mmCIF file of all heavy atoms in Angstrom:
data_model
loop_
_atom_site.group_PDB
_atom_site.id
_atom_site.type_symbol
_atom_site.label_atom_id
_atom_site.label_comp_id
_atom_site.label_asym_id
_atom_site.label_seq_id
_atom_site.Cartn_x
_atom_site.Cartn_y
_atom_site.Cartn_z
ATOM 1 N N GLU A 1312 0.802 -1.164 -0.047
ATOM 2 C CA GLU A 1312 -0.056 0.057 0.048
ATOM 3 C C GLU A 1312 0.819 1.279 -0.056
ATOM 4 O O GLU A 1312 0.427 2.275 -0.584
ATOM 5 C CB GLU A 1312 -0.924 0.004 1.212
ATOM 6 C CG GLU A 1312 -1.985 -1.163 1.243
ATOM 7 C CD GLU A 1312 -2.583 -1.501 2.517
ATOM 8 O OE1 GLU A 1312 -1.938 -1.144 3.625
ATOM 9 O OE2 GLU A 1312 -3.674 -1.835 2.589
ATOM 10 N N ALA A 1313 2.023 1.260 0.577
ATOM 11 C CA ALA A 1313 2.994 2.362 0.570
ATOM 12 C C ALA A 1313 3.408 2.623 -0.814
ATOM 13 O O ALA A 1313 3.470 1.582 -1.625
ATOM 14 C CB ALA A 1313 4.056 2.162 1.528
ATOM 15 N N PRO A 1314 3.768 3.830 -1.167
ATOM 16 C CA PRO A 1314 4.195 4.019 -2.660
ATOM 17 C C PRO A 1314 5.463 3.491 -3.056
ATOM 18 O O PRO A 1314 5.781 3.452 -4.204
ATOM 19 C CB PRO A 1314 4.158 5.397 -2.744
ATOM 20 C CG PRO A 1314 4.504 5.900 -1.264
ATOM 21 C CD PRO A 1314 3.724 5.004 -0.356
ATOM 22 N N HIS A 1315 6.226 2.917 -2.056
ATOM 23 C CA HIS A 1315 7.702 2.642 -2.412
ATOM 24 C C HIS A 1315 8.203 1.241 -2.152
ATOM 25 O O HIS A 1315 9.274 0.845 -2.390
ATOM 26 C CB HIS A 1315 8.578 3.567 -1.630
ATOM 27 C CG HIS A 1315 8.504 3.482 -0.054
ATOM 28 N ND1 HIS A 1315 7.310 3.695 0.550
ATOM 29 C CD2 HIS A 1315 9.457 3.194 0.834
ATOM 30 C CE1 HIS A 1315 7.557 3.581 1.879
ATOM 31 N NE2 HIS A 1315 8.877 3.254 1.970
ATOM 32 N N ILE A 1316 7.227 0.372 -1.638
ATOM 33 C CA ILE A 1316 7.767 -1.006 -1.180
ATOM 34 C C ILE A 1316 6.874 -2.110 -1.859
ATOM 35 O O ILE A 1316 5.578 -2.064 -1.916
ATOM 36 C CB ILE A 1316 7.429 -1.262 0.327
ATOM 37 C CG1 ILE A 1316 8.444 -0.219 1.119
ATOM 38 C CG2 ILE A 1316 7.794 -2.641 0.701
ATOM 39 C CD1 ILE A 1316 8.237 -0.197 2.572
ATOM 40 N N VAL A 1317 7.544 -3.029 -2.572
ATOM 41 C CA VAL A 1317 6.996 -4.229 -3.177
ATOM 42 C C VAL A 1317 7.711 -5.472 -2.627
ATOM 43 O O VAL A 1317 8.967 -5.464 -2.822
ATOM 44 C CB VAL A 1317 7.014 -4.122 -4.650
ATOM 45 C CG1 VAL A 1317 6.443 -5.447 -5.261
ATOM 46 C CG2 VAL A 1317 6.250 -2.981 -5.167
ATOM 47 N N CYS A 1318 7.073 -6.379 -2.092
ATOM 48 C CA CYS A 1318 7.637 -7.667 -1.705
ATOM 49 C C CYS A 1318 7.237 -8.742 -2.497
ATOM 50 O O CYS A 1318 6.003 -8.911 -2.801
ATOM 51 C CB CYS A 1318 7.377 -7.963 -0.156
ATOM 52 S SG CYS A 1318 8.381 -9.312 0.539
ATOM 53 N N CYS A 1319 8.286 -9.678 -2.963
ATOM 54 C CA CYS A 1319 7.858 -10.773 -3.771
ATOM 55 C C CYS A 1319 8.855 -11.923 -3.402
ATOM 56 O O CYS A 1319 9.711 -11.763 -2.617
ATOM 57 C CB CYS A 1319 7.892 -10.531 -5.269
ATOM 58 S SG CYS A 1319 9.489 -10.037 -5.816
ATOM 59 N N ALA A 1320 8.533 -13.026 -4.068
ATOM 60 C CA ALA A 1320 9.383 -14.252 -3.876
ATOM 61 C C ALA A 1320 9.555 -15.030 -4.963
ATOM 62 O O ALA A 1320 8.656 -15.002 -5.879
ATOM 63 C CB ALA A 1320 8.842 -15.094 -2.582
ATOM 64 N N LEU A 1321 10.678 -15.652 -5.058
ATOM 65 C CA LEU A 1321 10.959 -16.749 -6.086
ATOM 66 C C LEU A 1321 11.100 -18.016 -5.300
ATOM 67 O O LEU A 1321 12.137 -18.379 -4.714
ATOM 68 C CB LEU A 1321 12.295 -16.470 -6.873
ATOM 69 C CG LEU A 1321 12.296 -15.250 -7.839
ATOM 70 C CD1 LEU A 1321 12.142 -13.878 -7.148
ATOM 71 C CD2 LEU A 1321 13.499 -15.474 -8.784
ATOM 72 N N PRO A 1322 9.920 -18.669 -4.992
ATOM 73 C CA PRO A 1322 9.863 -19.851 -4.157
ATOM 74 C C PRO A 1322 10.829 -20.904 -4.588
ATOM 75 O O PRO A 1322 10.850 -21.231 -5.757
ATOM 76 C CB PRO A 1322 8.358 -20.350 -4.259
ATOM 77 C CG PRO A 1322 7.704 -19.073 -4.671
ATOM 78 C CD PRO A 1322 8.487 -18.236 -5.557
ATOM 79 N N GLY A 1323 11.567 -21.389 -3.484
ATOM 80 C CA GLY A 1323 12.519 -22.414 -3.816
ATOM 81 C C GLY A 1323 13.940 -21.886 -4.204
ATOM 82 O O GLY A 1323 14.953 -22.637 -4.237
ATOM 83 N N ILE A 1324 14.055 -20.621 -4.514
ATOM 84 C CA ILE A 1324 15.502 -19.929 -4.816
ATOM 85 C C ILE A 1324 15.729 -19.155 -3.716
ATOM 86 O O ILE A 1324 15.173 -18.195 -3.354
ATOM 87 C CB ILE A 1324 15.386 -19.165 -5.976
ATOM 88 C CG1 ILE A 1324 14.852 -20.066 -7.299
ATOM 89 C CG2 ILE A 1324 16.759 -18.471 -6.415
ATOM 90 C CD1 ILE A 1324 14.733 -19.293 -8.624
ATOM 91 N N PRO A 1325 16.836 -19.484 -2.903
ATOM 92 C CA PRO A 1325 17.315 -18.673 -1.774
ATOM 93 C C PRO A 1325 17.478 -17.206 -2.106
ATOM 94 O O PRO A 1325 18.084 -16.901 -3.138
ATOM 95 C CB PRO A 1325 18.486 -19.385 -1.422
ATOM 96 C CG PRO A 1325 18.446 -20.705 -1.820
ATOM 97 C CD PRO A 1325 17.703 -20.692 -3.165
ATOM 98 N N SER A 1326 17.116 -16.308 -1.267
ATOM 99 C CA SER A 1326 17.119 -14.854 -1.455
ATOM 100 C C SER A 1326 18.514 -14.420 -1.866
ATOM 101 O O SER A 1326 18.749 -13.618 -2.611
ATOM 102 C CB SER A 1326 16.629 -14.156 -0.210
ATOM 103 O OG SER A 1326 15.304 -14.383 0.136
ATOM 104 N N GLN A 1327 19.503 -15.037 -1.099
ATOM 105 C CA GLN A 1327 20.897 -14.597 -1.327
ATOM 106 C C GLN A 1327 21.317 -14.938 -2.804
ATOM 107 O O GLN A 1327 22.151 -14.257 -3.343
ATOM 108 C CB GLN A 1327 21.799 -15.233 -0.334
ATOM 109 C CG GLN A 1327 23.210 -14.763 -0.331
ATOM 110 C CD GLN A 1327 23.234 -13.159 -0.014
ATOM 111 O OE1 GLN A 1327 22.676 -12.734 1.030
ATOM 112 N NE2 GLN A 1327 23.849 -12.306 -0.873
ATOM 113 N N ASN A 1328 20.851 -16.041 -3.335
ATOM 114 C CA ASN A 1328 21.270 -16.492 -4.706
ATOM 115 C C ASN A 1328 20.755 -15.381 -5.600
ATOM 116 O O ASN A 1328 21.297 -14.965 -6.545
ATOM 117 C CB ASN A 1328 20.700 -17.743 -5.060
ATOM 118 C CG ASN A 1328 21.400 -18.914 -4.252
ATOM 119 O OD1 ASN A 1328 21.957 -18.691 -3.246
ATOM 120 N ND2 ASN A 1328 21.251 -20.166 -4.893
ATOM 121 N N THR A 1329 19.417 -15.021 -5.323
ATOM 122 C CA THR A 1329 18.771 -14.008 -6.165
ATOM 123 C C THR A 1329 19.459 -12.664 -6.138
ATOM 124 O O THR A 1329 19.815 -12.127 -7.297
ATOM 125 C CB THR A 1329 17.274 -13.726 -5.704
ATOM 126 O OG1 THR A 1329 16.580 -15.043 -5.901
ATOM 127 C CG2 THR A 1329 16.536 -12.726 -6.657
ATOM 128 N N ILE A 1330 19.879 -12.192 -4.987
ATOM 129 C CA ILE A 1330 20.686 -11.007 -4.827
ATOM 130 C C ILE A 1330 22.000 -11.031 -5.395
ATOM 131 O O ILE A 1330 22.299 -10.144 -6.123
ATOM 132 C CB ILE A 1330 20.701 -10.616 -3.310
ATOM 133 C CG1 ILE A 1330 19.442 -10.273 -2.687
ATOM 134 C CG2 ILE A 1330 21.809 -9.464 -3.047
ATOM 135 C CD1 ILE A 1330 19.315 -10.284 -1.151
ATOM 136 N N ASN A 1331 22.641 -12.187 -5.296
ATOM 137 C CA ASN A 1331 23.915 -12.271 -6.062
ATOM 138 C C ASN A 1331 23.907 -12.288 -7.488
ATOM 139 O O ASN A 1331 24.754 -11.547 -8.143
ATOM 140 C CB ASN A 1331 24.675 -13.599 -5.629
ATOM 141 C CG ASN A 1331 25.025 -13.636 -4.198
ATOM 142 O OD1 ASN A 1331 25.235 -12.600 -3.467
ATOM 143 N ND2 ASN A 1331 25.263 -14.764 -3.693
ATOM 144 N N ILE A 1332 22.755 -12.863 -8.038
ATOM 145 C CA ILE A 1332 22.743 -12.764 -9.580
ATOM 146 C C ILE A 1332 22.207 -11.485 -9.980
ATOM 147 O O ILE A 1332 22.756 -10.919 -11.042
ATOM 148 C CB ILE A 1332 21.849 -13.952 -10.033
ATOM 149 C CG1 ILE A 1332 22.376 -15.173 -9.706
ATOM 150 C CG2 ILE A 1332 21.559 -13.866 -11.655
ATOM 151 C CD1 ILE A 1332 21.454 -16.501 -9.810
ATOM 152 N N LEU A 1333 21.355 -10.858 -9.342
ATOM 153 C CA LEU A 1333 20.865 -9.635 -9.693
ATOM 154 C C LEU A 1333 22.026 -8.484 -9.568
ATOM 155 O O LEU A 1333 22.139 -7.656 -10.461
ATOM 156 C CB LEU A 1333 19.714 -9.033 -8.662
ATOM 157 C CG LEU A 1333 18.281 -9.769 -8.818
ATOM 158 C CD1 LEU A 1333 17.339 -9.205 -7.892
ATOM 159 C CD2 LEU A 1333 17.724 -9.522 -10.332
ATOM 160 N N GLN A 1334 22.898 -8.549 -8.659
ATOM 161 C CA GLN A 1334 23.930 -7.550 -8.545
ATOM 162 C C GLN A 1334 25.020 -7.640 -9.697
ATOM 163 O O GLN A 1334 25.620 -6.738 -9.927
ATOM 164 C CB GLN A 1334 24.512 -7.507 -7.177
ATOM 165 C CG GLN A 1334 25.339 -8.714 -6.808
ATOM 166 C CD GLN A 1334 26.034 -8.500 -5.410
ATOM 167 O OE1 GLN A 1334 25.851 -7.480 -4.812
ATOM 168 N NE2 GLN A 1334 26.781 -9.487 -4.943
ATOM 169 N N GLU A 1335 25.066 -8.959 -10.235
ATOM 170 C CA GLU A 1335 25.818 -9.084 -11.375
ATOM 171 C C GLU A 1335 25.372 -8.280 -12.506
ATOM 172 O O GLU A 1335 26.064 -7.896 -13.515
ATOM 173 C CB GLU A 1335 25.922 -10.635 -11.765
ATOM 174 C CG GLU A 1335 26.698 -11.457 -10.834
ATOM 175 C CD GLU A 1335 26.499 -12.947 -11.241
ATOM 176 O OE1 GLU A 1335 26.088 -13.250 -12.249
ATOM 177 O OE2 GLU A 1335 27.103 -13.665 -10.325
ATOM 178 N N HIS A 1336 23.953 -7.933 -12.489
ATOM 179 C CA HIS A 1336 23.385 -7.186 -13.570
ATOM 180 C C HIS A 1336 23.291 -5.742 -13.103
ATOM 181 O O HIS A 1336 22.354 -4.921 -13.712
ATOM 182 C CB HIS A 1336 22.004 -7.706 -13.963
ATOM 183 C CG HIS A 1336 22.161 -9.104 -14.664
ATOM 184 N ND1 HIS A 1336 22.439 -10.300 -14.064
ATOM 185 C CD2 HIS A 1336 21.991 -9.503 -15.870
ATOM 186 C CE1 HIS A 1336 22.452 -11.293 -14.787
ATOM 187 N NE2 HIS A 1336 22.205 -10.732 -15.988
ATOM 188 N N ASP A 1337 23.907 -5.420 -12.035
ATOM 189 C CA ASP A 1337 23.815 -4.018 -11.500
ATOM 190 C C ASP A 1337 22.377 -3.689 -10.954
ATOM 191 O O ASP A 1337 21.949 -2.529 -11.075
ATOM 192 C CB ASP A 1337 24.353 -2.918 -12.432
ATOM 193 C CG ASP A 1337 25.709 -2.860 -12.500
ATOM 194 O OD1 ASP A 1337 26.535 -3.224 -11.564
ATOM 195 O OD2 ASP A 1337 26.336 -2.451 -13.602
ATOM 196 N N VAL A 1338 21.769 -4.626 -10.432
ATOM 197 C CA VAL A 1338 20.421 -4.522 -9.814
ATOM 198 C C VAL A 1338 20.547 -4.721 -8.273
ATOM 199 O O VAL A 1338 21.079 -5.791 -7.912
ATOM 200 C CB VAL A 1338 19.311 -5.508 -10.301
ATOM 201 C CG1 VAL A 1338 18.021 -5.260 -9.704
ATOM 202 C CG2 VAL A 1338 19.312 -5.156 -11.926
ATOM 203 N N TYR A 1339 20.128 -3.906 -7.440
ATOM 204 C CA TYR A 1339 20.289 -4.084 -5.987
ATOM 205 C C TYR A 1339 19.018 -3.969 -5.260
ATOM 206 O O TYR A 1339 18.267 -2.964 -5.343
ATOM 207 C CB TYR A 1339 21.193 -2.911 -5.489
ATOM 208 C CG TYR A 1339 22.636 -2.953 -6.004
ATOM 209 C CD1 TYR A 1339 22.892 -2.181 -7.369
ATOM 210 C CD2 TYR A 1339 23.553 -3.686 -5.638
ATOM 211 C CE1 TYR A 1339 24.074 -2.264 -7.974
ATOM 212 C CE2 TYR A 1339 24.835 -3.823 -6.202
ATOM 213 C CZ TYR A 1339 25.064 -3.010 -7.406
ATOM 214 O OH TYR A 1339 26.241 -3.160 -8.160
ATOM 215 N N VAL A 1340 18.751 -5.119 -4.462
ATOM 216 C CA VAL A 1340 17.476 -5.180 -3.753
ATOM 217 C C VAL A 1340 17.845 -5.700 -2.318
ATOM 218 O O VAL A 1340 19.050 -6.103 -2.246
ATOM 219 C CB VAL A 1340 16.481 -6.134 -4.393
ATOM 220 C CG1 VAL A 1340 16.060 -5.487 -5.707
ATOM 221 C CG2 VAL A 1340 17.006 -7.609 -4.610
ATOM 222 N N SER A 1341 16.878 -5.931 -1.547
ATOM 223 C CA SER A 1341 17.101 -6.554 -0.223
ATOM 224 C C SER A 1341 16.479 -7.930 -0.040
ATOM 225 O O SER A 1341 15.428 -8.184 -0.795
ATOM 226 C CB SER A 1341 16.548 -5.721 0.940
ATOM 227 O OG SER A 1341 17.460 -4.620 1.370
ATOM 228 N N ALA A 1342 17.045 -8.704 0.832
ATOM 229 C CA ALA A 1342 16.324 -9.898 1.245
ATOM 230 C C ALA A 1342 15.477 -9.570 2.501
ATOM 231 O O ALA A 1342 16.009 -9.616 3.523
ATOM 232 C CB ALA A 1342 17.322 -11.049 1.606
ATOM 233 N N GLY A 1343 14.209 -9.190 2.335
ATOM 234 C CA GLY A 1343 13.430 -8.777 3.508
ATOM 235 C C GLY A 1343 13.942 -7.434 3.983
ATOM 236 O O GLY A 1343 14.409 -6.569 3.241
ATOM 237 N N SER A 1344 14.078 -7.294 5.252
ATOM 238 C CA SER A 1344 14.608 -6.107 5.858
ATOM 239 C C SER A 1344 16.086 -6.202 6.010
ATOM 240 O O SER A 1344 16.722 -7.175 6.437
ATOM 241 C CB SER A 1344 14.090 -5.961 7.435
ATOM 242 O OG SER A 1344 14.649 -5.039 8.081
ATOM 243 N N ALA A 1345 16.665 -5.141 5.486
ATOM 244 C CA ALA A 1345 18.255 -5.180 5.515
ATOM 245 C C ALA A 1345 18.729 -5.005 7.016
ATOM 246 O O ALA A 1345 19.890 -5.250 7.186
ATOM 247 C CB ALA A 1345 18.734 -3.921 4.712
ATOM 248 N N CYS A 1346 17.691 -4.709 7.914
ATOM 249 C CA CYS A 1346 18.230 -4.540 9.340
ATOM 250 C C CYS A 1346 18.251 -5.827 10.126
ATOM 251 O O CYS A 1346 18.534 -5.916 11.218
ATOM 252 C CB CYS A 1346 17.292 -3.372 9.992
ATOM 253 S SG CYS A 1346 17.169 -1.944 9.221
ATOM 254 N N SER A 1347 17.910 -6.952 9.439
ATOM 255 C CA SER A 1347 17.792 -8.218 10.109
ATOM 256 C C SER A 1347 18.754 -9.317 9.378
ATOM 257 O O SER A 1347 18.331 -10.447 9.126
ATOM 258 C CB SER A 1347 16.313 -8.753 10.099
ATOM 259 O OG SER A 1347 15.440 -7.718 10.765
ATOM 260 N N LYS A 1348 19.954 -8.848 9.044
ATOM 261 C CA LYS A 1348 20.803 -9.715 8.207
ATOM 262 C C LYS A 1348 20.974 -10.989 8.919
ATOM 263 O O LYS A 1348 21.285 -11.235 10.109
ATOM 264 C CB LYS A 1348 22.109 -8.921 8.061
ATOM 265 C CG LYS A 1348 23.044 -9.732 7.209
ATOM 266 C CD LYS A 1348 24.379 -8.921 7.042
ATOM 267 C CE LYS A 1348 25.418 -9.657 6.170
ATOM 268 N NZ LYS A 1348 26.623 -8.813 5.998
ATOM 269 N N GLY A 1349 20.927 -12.131 8.183
ATOM 270 C CA GLY A 1349 21.115 -13.478 8.599
ATOM 271 C C GLY A 1349 20.079 -14.187 9.484
ATOM 272 O O GLY A 1349 20.225 -15.252 9.833
ATOM 273 N N HIS A 1350 18.893 -13.506 9.506
ATOM 274 C CA HIS A 1350 17.777 -14.148 10.142
ATOM 275 C C HIS A 1350 16.539 -14.261 9.185
ATOM 276 O O HIS A 1350 16.244 -13.272 8.383
ATOM 277 C CB HIS A 1350 17.317 -13.242 11.468
ATOM 278 C CG HIS A 1350 18.405 -13.098 12.352
ATOM 279 N ND1 HIS A 1350 18.826 -14.030 13.306
ATOM 280 C CD2 HIS A 1350 19.276 -12.012 12.577
ATOM 281 C CE1 HIS A 1350 19.904 -13.623 13.989
ATOM 282 N NE2 HIS A 1350 20.131 -12.411 13.611
ATOM 283 N N ARG A 1351 15.720 -15.305 9.381
ATOM 284 C CA ARG A 1351 14.500 -15.348 8.701
ATOM 285 C C ARG A 1351 13.628 -14.406 9.055
ATOM 286 O O ARG A 1351 13.423 -13.984 10.264
ATOM 287 C CB ARG A 1351 13.985 -16.721 8.932
ATOM 288 C CG ARG A 1351 12.609 -16.915 8.178
ATOM 289 C CD ARG A 1351 12.133 -18.437 8.239
ATOM 290 N NE ARG A 1351 12.862 -19.309 7.539
ATOM 291 C CZ ARG A 1351 12.623 -20.584 7.560
ATOM 292 N NH1 ARG A 1351 11.965 -21.240 8.469
ATOM 293 N NH2 ARG A 1351 13.380 -21.271 6.621
ATOM 294 N N SER A 1352 12.780 -13.699 8.155
ATOM 295 C CA SER A 1352 12.077 -12.593 8.477
ATOM 296 C C SER A 1352 10.875 -12.916 9.392
ATOM 297 O O SER A 1352 9.948 -13.732 9.092
ATOM 298 C CB SER A 1352 11.333 -11.965 7.096
ATOM 299 O OG SER A 1352 10.369 -11.238 7.336
ATOM 300 N N HIS A 1353 10.877 -12.214 10.488
ATOM 301 C CA HIS A 1353 9.859 -12.469 11.419
ATOM 302 C C HIS A 1353 8.443 -11.817 10.895
ATOM 303 O O HIS A 1353 7.406 -12.309 11.302
ATOM 304 C CB HIS A 1353 10.121 -11.760 12.866
ATOM 305 C CG HIS A 1353 10.123 -10.256 12.845
ATOM 306 N ND1 HIS A 1353 11.113 -9.575 12.353
ATOM 307 C CD2 HIS A 1353 9.287 -9.354 13.190
ATOM 308 C CE1 HIS A 1353 10.944 -8.268 12.420
ATOM 309 N NE2 HIS A 1353 9.830 -8.202 12.958
ATOM 310 N N VAL A 1354 8.566 -10.926 10.146
ATOM 311 C CA VAL A 1354 7.418 -10.339 9.467
ATOM 312 C C VAL A 1354 6.589 -11.301 8.580
ATOM 313 O O VAL A 1354 5.427 -11.551 8.646
ATOM 314 C CB VAL A 1354 7.774 -8.923 8.682
ATOM 315 C CG1 VAL A 1354 6.453 -8.613 7.886
ATOM 316 C CG2 VAL A 1354 8.178 -7.847 9.592
ATOM 317 N N LEU A 1355 7.482 -11.974 7.713
ATOM 318 C CA LEU A 1355 6.816 -12.890 6.686
ATOM 319 C C LEU A 1355 6.314 -14.158 7.430
ATOM 320 O O LEU A 1355 5.323 -14.815 7.086
ATOM 321 C CB LEU A 1355 7.777 -13.191 5.601
ATOM 322 C CG LEU A 1355 8.281 -11.982 4.940
ATOM 323 C CD1 LEU A 1355 9.073 -12.439 3.553
ATOM 324 C CD2 LEU A 1355 7.101 -11.088 4.461
ATOM 325 N N GLU A 1356 7.106 -14.479 8.552
ATOM 326 C CA GLU A 1356 6.572 -15.650 9.345
ATOM 327 C C GLU A 1356 5.294 -15.389 9.938
ATOM 328 O O GLU A 1356 4.295 -16.277 10.013
ATOM 329 C CB GLU A 1356 7.562 -15.936 10.525
ATOM 330 C CG GLU A 1356 8.860 -16.796 9.903
ATOM 331 C CD GLU A 1356 9.878 -17.069 11.071
ATOM 332 O OE1 GLU A 1356 9.855 -16.337 12.094
ATOM 333 O OE2 GLU A 1356 10.398 -18.177 11.104
#
């Protein structure tokens, strides 16, 4: 609903894999909240 946030998933593909491949194409996104590095998202849970 906020104008700036869209969350999506590629089920079965780990977020870090997606981030690594995207940044090879100079695309930068987060795996959930960037403030919770290394932890499964409590929000999505």
Side-chain angles (χ1 to χ4, degrees):
E1312 295 163 330
H1315 63 301
I1316 297 175
V1317 176
C1318 187
C1319 64
L1321 285 70
I1324 301 177
S1326 301
Q1327 192 59 55
N1328 290 19
T1329 299
I1330 290 172
N1331 290 343
I1332 297 172
L1333 286 177
Q1334 69 180 355
E1335 292 174 8
H1336 294 75
D1337 282 333
V1338 178
Y1339 300 91
V1340 299
S1341 275
S1344 171
C1346 304
S1347 302
K1348 185 177 179 181
H1350 301 281
R1351 179 175 282 172
S1352 166
H1353 68 282
V1354 173
L1355 301 188
E1356 285 186 322

